Amino acid sequence: MSFCCLNAYGPGDGLMLRALFFAVKVALLVAAAVWIANRPGFVQIAWLGYDVRAHVGIALAGFLIVAAFISLLFRLFDLPGTWRRRRRETARVRGERFLTRGFGALAAGDLKSAARLANRAQRLLPGDPGLTVFLQAQTARLQGEREKATLLFTRLLENPDTAFLGLRGLLQDALAEKDDKRALDLARRAASLHPRHPWVLRLLYTLAIRMEDWNAAERTLKRAMRFKAISAEKARSDRAALCLYRAEKATEARWIGHWLKKAYALAPFFVPSATRLARFYLDAGKRRQAIAVIEKTWTQSPHEDLALLWREAAPPRGKKKKGNLVADMRWAARLIARNPETPEGEILAATMALDDGLYGEAAAHLDTATAREGRLSPRIARLQAKLARTQGREEESLDWTEKAAEAPPGKAWICSETGRIYARWSPIAAPHGSFNTIVWDYPPPPGEG
């Protein structure tokens, strides 16, 4: 309890302690004076033919006066040094004030004021190795004076305390000029200074992908995850996307299969992993493996691309037309049973029924799909239009076509950074080149994104 109280003093308590300390010092002086007064005596000094004899109290008082005089003389003789130190301190305070105002002007976009304040700070802080030079460099870079900015950022590399600032500035220039090789060299130097810095690790990872250095990219990704520069979930997704990217770049079938299988093992419910591996199996004549991949992914990630592959993987048709129609509906029902709540299975069944001329079943499946979708999607409306047109109901078909145009857009492959829509998923979002940012989602409303 007493410990807590001692650590809870406020400003008033501190003033009380100082007053108490002063009273103690006065009491000690008084006690010393009384002690000396109760012990009378004399001090006698014989020096150079002089014989000085004085009371102890007077001798002590004289000694204190001489000591004070000597202290005053020292201060007077050091007056120029004191003045110089005070002048340097004033210059330092003013320089730091100009530096702060300069960074404020830089943040506000007032480059002319930032440059002027940086120069004034430089004159007042000639020994400053970093912030004034950094302010000048940043201002020069934003003013388009790239050569000057490069020289200033390079000066920062000379001091270990400011080297990272210089590297970051040079890195920004290299990235702006799209000089990936130079940027990678600078990023590696930055990583040697701060091996756990999240920004450096993410940049190294991005540059390794751009340079198609797959092994370095995977090593850096693991380090970034270990030092929490990238979340474990994001790292797993990126590793799968990286495997898919390597499969795209591979030329031999064995390596394509290797990377596709690895991507699917990392992210079995990621639709691009499943569709590409299923396509690989179908092209290789491995129908059972393709079916197993589609069925597993469908349970959690039903998608129209999986439905198309499922239809392609259907058993070979027999000679009897009626038997083929029943087989088609059973095949669609098998996929629907894997995830009964999704509209995608109903849309697949409706499409197959419509192609087989089973118009009643097609209409029933489309109604079920609309109910499970919770709204009329453009895909369902277009199928309704096709069904009406096939049955000769042209006016109703036009009505459904208008509804398809007016319906809110359905999900699509969209870059989460730019909002750009793509026909298919890709590891790299062109043209800006971001990695693994394309997701399956609803497009943003007009005016957003």
Side-chain angles (χ1 to χ4, degrees), residues 134-180:
F134 181 68
L135 177 58
Q136 289 175 322
Q138 286 285 70
T139 305
R141 185 171 66 83
L142 294 175
Q143 287 178 325
E145 302 175 7
R146 289 195 173 181
E147 291 184 6
K148 180 181 177 182
T150 300
L151 287 173
L152 290 167
F153 282 127
T154 304
R155 274 181 59 190
L156 292 171
L157 301 181
E158 299 170 1
N159 189 323
D161 295 333
T162 60
F164 189 75
L165 289 175
L167 285 171
R168 184 152 190 168
L170 293 171
L171 263 169
Q172 289 175 330
D173 288 342
L175 292 171
E177 295 168 5
K178 296 184 178 180
D179 188 348
D180 291 342

Side-chain angles (χ1 to χ4, degrees), residues 42-55 59-60 62-63:
F42 295 90
V43 175
Q44 186 171 356
I45 300 175
W47 187 48
L48 297 177
Y50 294 95
D51 190 3
V52 180
R53 188 169 182 269
H55 192 276
L60 286 174
F63 174 77

Side-chain angles (χ1 to χ4, degrees), residues 269 271 294 297-307 335 339 341-345 411 440:
F269 302 110
V271 171
I294 296 169
T297 305
W298 187 268
T299 58
Q300 293 192 28
S301 304
H303 192 275
E304 58 188 80
D305 291 347
L306 289 171
L335 190 62
N339 194 337
E341 301 303 320
T342 177
E344 292 297 335
K411 286 185 175 182
W440 183 252

